[in-house]
Amino acid sequence: DQQVKQNSPSLSVQEGRISILNCDYTNSMFDYFLWYKKYPAEGPTFLISISSIKDKNEDGRFTVFLNKSAKHLSLHIVPSQPGDSAVYFCAASAYNNAGNMLTFGGGTRLMVKP
Amino acid sequence: ETGVTQSPTHLIKTRGQQVTLRCSSQSGHNTVSWYQQALGQGPQFIFQYYREEENGRGNFPPRFSGLQFPNYSSELNVNALELDDSALYLCASRTGGASSYEQYFGPGTRLTVT
């Protein structure tokens, strides 16, 4: 049972344009959502997060939108840069006995072309 | 500030053997989680340690076990290795507060079971 899904395995975008990465979840108990970026041979790097009480969080070129009714979140990167090329993971958390464990999606590979 | 470190970076083992992976948490972090990332998938939660006690576990069999030491470093032990245990093993640390969700990952240990 995959509780967090990223349905697009890859995305190709031209430098300077907007990149939109999508994520869907099924567990209504999730109360915090995070995006991580991963380069080859490195661990995932925290990018941006959003609490379930908000619908938008912005940090520089990165904005995360949360639609609770649709159980959907998206990451917008604008403008996209070649250095943004990486695998992006959506993750969700629900405070329970496991203490804020993260449930990850399968990832989306973003390629930003110069 | 020292980030999360893991050792070794790569490891090759034979089916049936046992393996120990090590992790040093980021300075100031007292909670350590372990994740398994199979090729082409997102990380999957194995377990979490807080104050030297396991306080959360994912869907992994008992042959996956761990320890946390007083300096908050941690070990992941896997007994009776199987071919499907081949994966990238990621360690993540965070502060232990209930409102703390962001986890910071190490570079991982690539385990190959032959």
Side-chain angles (χ1 to χ4, degrees):
Chain A
D1 176 28
Q2 208 173 350
Q3 299 186 62
V4 178
K5 288 184 181 179
Q6 294 176 254
N7 291 318
S8 298
S10 65
L11 175 67
S12 183
V13 171
Q14 205 67 34
E15 180 179 7
R17 306 295 290 268
I18 185 171
S19 296
I20 300 176
L21 295 95
N22 294 302
C23 178
D24 297 296
Y25 63 96
T26 57
N27 188 343
S28 57
M29 297 300 292
F30 288 142
D31 59 1
Y32 205 83
F33 303 88
L34 308 91
W35 284 93
Y36 282 84
K37 178 171 71 173
K38 187 178 187 301
Y39 294 118
E42 294 184 13
T45 302
F46 170 71
L47 201 55
I48 192 170
S49 61
I50 188 168
S51 164
S52 61
I53 62 173
K54 296 184 175 180
D55 55 17
K56 177 183 175 181
N57 188 29
E58 191 173 352
D59 183 1
R61 296 186 297 115
F62 303 91
T63 303
V64 55
F65 295 91
L66 175 62
N67 182 334
K68 282 180 61 179
S69 61
K71 294 190 175 67
H72 176 84
L73 66 154
S74 60
L75 173 68
H76 292 210
I77 306 173
V78 56
S80 301
Q81 299 173 354
D84 295 330
S85 297
V87 178
Y88 289 77
F89 291 101
C90 166
S93 182
Y95 187 78
N96 54 22
N97 289 337
N100 300 4
M101 59 166 274
L102 296 179
T103 301
F104 282 85
T108 296
R109 183 177 299 279
L110 174 65
M111 293 162 285
V112 180
K113 298 178 179 177
Chain B
E1 185 178 84
T2 307
V4 178
T5 61
Q6 293 186 242
S7 63
T9 53
H10 295 87
L11 203 51
I12 299 175
K13 288 285 189 179
T14 303
R15 189 172 50 184
Q17 286 187 316
Q18 177 266 343
V19 68
T20 298
L21 310 181
R22 294 179 175 83
C23 170
S24 291
S25 62
Q26 183 166 314
S27 175
H29 289 181
N30 57 14
T31 302
V32 173
S33 300
W34 286 91
Y35 290 81
Q36 180 195 67
Q37 185 181 11
L39 202 60
Q41 298 181 22
Q44 276 197 294
F45 175 71
I46 302 175
F47 46 55
Q48 177 175 273
Y49 277 83
Y50 172 64
R51 292 184 176 177
E52 302 176 56
E53 297 277 339
E54 183 184 299
N55 74 336
R57 190 175 186 92
N59 190 25
F60 281 81
R63 60 189 185 84
F64 285 77
S65 64
L67 284 173
Q68 187 181 33
F69 301 99
N71 66 354
Y72 305 130
S73 66
S74 177
E75 286 182 356
L76 164 66
N77 299 290
V78 187
N79 293 321
L81 284 167
E82 300 177 359
L83 296 179
D84 284 350
D85 296 333
S86 295
L88 180 68
Y89 288 85
L90 295 161
C91 170
S93 73
R94 64 176 179 90
T95 58
S99 61
S100 166
Y101 289 89
E102 287 87 7
Q103 299 193 19
Y104 296 87
F105 285 83
T109 294
R110 172 73 61 187
L111 172 65
T112 302
V113 182
T114 62

